[in-house]
Amino acid sequence: MPAIFTPVASLKGQSVASATQFSRADIDALIQLALDMRAHIEAGNTIDALHGRVMTPLFFEDSSRTLSSFCAAMMRLGGNVVNFKVETSSVNKGETLQDTVRTLDAYSDVLVLRHPKEEALEQAIGAATHPVMNAGNGAGEHPSQALLDTLTIHAELGAVDGITIALIGDLKKGRTVHSLLKLLTHNFDLKKVYLVAPAGLEMPQEVLDHVSADVQRRGIQLEQAAGLTPTIVGDCDVLYTTRLQKERFEASATGDADAMAAFAAAKSGLLIDKARLADAKAKMIVMHPLPRVDELSVDVDSDPRAAYFRQMRYGLFMRMAILFSVLA
Ligand code: NCD
């Protein structure tokens, strides 16, 4: 018998642009839907809810997990995916983003956009008649990642309210941590957030300004640090680490060589390895949006607290819940 899933009604026909667009009720419902879909799939069943619907990813930046999990999610819902490749497209002939979006929009029910420029997202949403999923707009946001991260915390720890979390690494250009901080502080009664970044790579002031009212209203403790300490590691339920967004510094007109040098110098203070986890609680998780470079040692992989590979799998089910709700 086919399972009946309930879409999250507020997402129907909507673009997913920012982590700020979700209410607590939306997030709770998306988590439940994702977990229901996981149970169904892992019991060996299939879902055909989006049979005949078409998704086109437009990826102007590299991706492994986000691209493949959006495609797998669409296919696991019975839908289809257009294999559009920017590298061999008319983008090379000078076509504008808007015209490329208009073209794929004419063939699709939903678009998934990743682009190095923050403003590309609004341009694409303006040019499309169908919903656009933001799969990362420059150093801006990555809302589906924040949702899958929240699902990971909920599923692994049993609750998101009351946790202490450290966001670690390149908090300046890392879009995953921008979206996650906004989503968590707006919707959950966190106990404490540590923002751990070397000088020059701190969380941007505009993100801090954005979350400050929620942080105050909920009484969330916010502490900035330049490196990890045994106290921070021992206090956290979640250590969420990220890589240096090297390509964004290399692409920046001002060079930002100082920031890259600062990261290199701060590396040992940010590193998460087996020795560092000696200070951590028995029940806590290490997360990473991946790809990792050298901020997260492979000697952590066999630790049960290493949640980053499971996090990828939660991403499949969260993107199924999103696509189903947007298109159903
Ligand atoms: C992240 C991204 O693209 O922002 N990757 C991802 O989607 N899981 C993180 C990164 O590239 O460092």
Side-chain angles (χ1 to χ4, degrees), residues 30-82:
L30 280 167
I31 288 176
Q32 193 53 53
L33 180 56
L35 292 174
D36 289 348
M37 287 180 159
R38 178 177 75 167
H40 189 75
I41 295 286
E42 294 192 339
N45 302 302
T46 56
I47 304 175
D48 210 24
L50 297 186
H51 181 82
R53 312 300 285 278
V54 173
M55 179 187 93
T56 302
L58 290 108
F59 274 56
F60 291 78
E61 248 187 16
D62 296 343
S63 173
S64 297
R65 278 148 291 270
T66 306
L67 173 59
S68 302
S69 66
F70 261 114
C71 292
M74 190 65 185
M75 293 190 278
R76 283 185 177 277
L77 291 164
N80 294 302
V81 178
V82 171

Side-chain angles (χ1 to χ4, degrees), residues 58 60 90-91 93-103 115 123 127:
L58 290 108
F60 291 78
S90 289
V91 171
K93 302 177 189 173
E95 188 164 66
T96 64
L97 175 68
Q98 283 91 338
D99 284 357
T100 303
V101 168
R102 277 183 196 108
T103 306
H115 201 285
Q123 291 168 359

Side-chain angles (χ1 to χ4, degrees), residues 256-327:
D256 278 322
D258 292 352
M260 290 177 71
F263 195 86
K267 235 179 201 169
S268 64
L270 301 174
L271 175 70
I272 294 185
D273 61 3
K274 198 179 164 132
R276 176 90 69 193
L277 288 188
D279 296 317
K281 298 187 211 179
K283 187 184 175 193
M284 56 81 67
I285 52 173
V286 179
M287 296 176 65
H288 195 308
L290 302 175
R292 70 173 148 190
V293 185
D294 50 11
E295 64 286 338
L296 174 58
S297 169
V298 294
D299 71 9
V300 176
D301 294 359
S302 57
D303 190 306
R305 295 170 292 183
Y308 34 92
F309 297 136
R310 298 191 292 275
Q311 190 180 348
M312 304 191 292
R313 176 114 174 129
Y314 291 116
L316 169 67
F317 299 116
M318 180 49 78
R319 289 180 173 125
M320 287 177 71
I322 294 168
L323 288 172
F324 177 71
S325 297
V326 169
L327 293 174

Side-chain angles (χ1 to χ4, degrees), residues 39-322:
H40 189 75
I41 295 286
E42 294 192 339
N45 302 302
T46 56
I47 304 175
D48 210 24
L50 297 186
H51 181 82
R53 312 300 285 278
V54 173
M55 179 187 93
T56 302
L58 290 108
F59 274 56
F60 291 78
E61 248 187 16
D62 296 343
S63 173
S64 297
R65 278 148 291 270
T66 306
L67 173 59
S68 302
S69 66
F70 261 114
C71 292
M74 190 65 185
M75 293 190 278
R76 283 185 177 277
L77 291 164
N80 294 302
V81 178
V82 171
N83 183 19
F84 177 77
K85 290 262 171 279
V86 169
E87 308 79 59
T88 53
S89 72
S90 289
V91 171
N92 288 337
K93 302 177 189 173
E95 188 164 66
T96 64
L97 175 68
Q98 283 91 338
D99 284 357
T100 303
V101 168
R102 277 183 196 108
T103 306
L104 282 311
D105 181 63
Y107 310 146
S108 315
D109 300 304
V110 61
L111 302 173
V112 185
L113 181 77
R114 171 170 284 192
H115 201 285
K117 294 203 170 83
E118 281 182 47
E119 59 276 19
L121 177 72
E122 284 311 317
Q123 291 168 359
I125 290 173
T129 64
H130 295 102
V132 178
M133 306 294 107
N134 179 8
N137 59 323
E141 284 219 45
H142 196 347
S144 66
Q145 180 75 41
L147 288 165
L148 81 87
D149 292 341
T150 305
L151 167 62
T152 303
I153 297 168
H154 171 91
E156 295 274 324
L157 297 177
V160 184
D161 287 308
I163 65 161
T164 294
I165 181 170
L167 304 178
I168 306 155
D170 181 355
L171 305 186
K172 182 177 183 184
K173 302 272 187 186
R175 56 197 172 198
T176 64
V177 284
H178 299 165
S179 285
L180 186 57
L181 184 66
K182 290 176 185 173
L183 187 129
L184 291 180
T185 54
H186 189 57
N187 295 290
F188 296 92
D189 287 323
L190 306 180
K191 184 169 177 217
K192 184 159 183 173
V193 180
Y194 290 99
L195 299 174
V196 183
L201 293 174
E202 295 100 338
M203 187 63 76
Q205 192 57 46
E206 69 206 55
V207 179
L208 294 174
D209 290 345
H210 184 94
V211 302
S212 78
D214 283 324
V215 164
Q216 282 191 19
R217 176 171 62 91
R218 292 183 181 275
I220 301 169
Q221 300 170 54
L222 203 65
E223 186 175 318
Q224 306 217 34
L228 285 167
T229 63
T231 309
I232 296 175
V233 172
D235 200 20
C236 281
D237 303 294
V238 179
L239 292 173
Y240 188 106
T241 188
T242 60
R243 74 181 172 95
L244 175 71
Q245 304 288 300
K246 200 162 169 268
E247 66 279 22
R248 298 203 200 291
F249 288 105
E250 283 166 347
S252 116
T254 49
D256 278 322
D258 292 352
M260 290 177 71
F263 195 86
K267 235 179 201 169
S268 64
L270 301 174
L271 175 70
I272 294 185
D273 61 3
K274 198 179 164 132
R276 176 90 69 193
L277 288 188
D279 296 317
K281 298 187 211 179
K283 187 184 175 193
M284 56 81 67
I285 52 173
V286 179
M287 296 176 65
H288 195 308
L290 302 175
R292 70 173 148 190
V293 185
D294 50 11
E295 64 286 338
L296 174 58
S297 169
V298 294
D299 71 9
V300 176
D301 294 359
S302 57
D303 190 306
R305 295 170 292 183
Y308 34 92
F309 297 136
R310 298 191 292 275
Q311 190 180 348
M312 304 191 292
R313 176 114 174 129
Y314 291 116
L316 169 67
F317 299 116
M318 180 49 78
R319 289 180 173 125
M320 287 177 71
I322 294 168

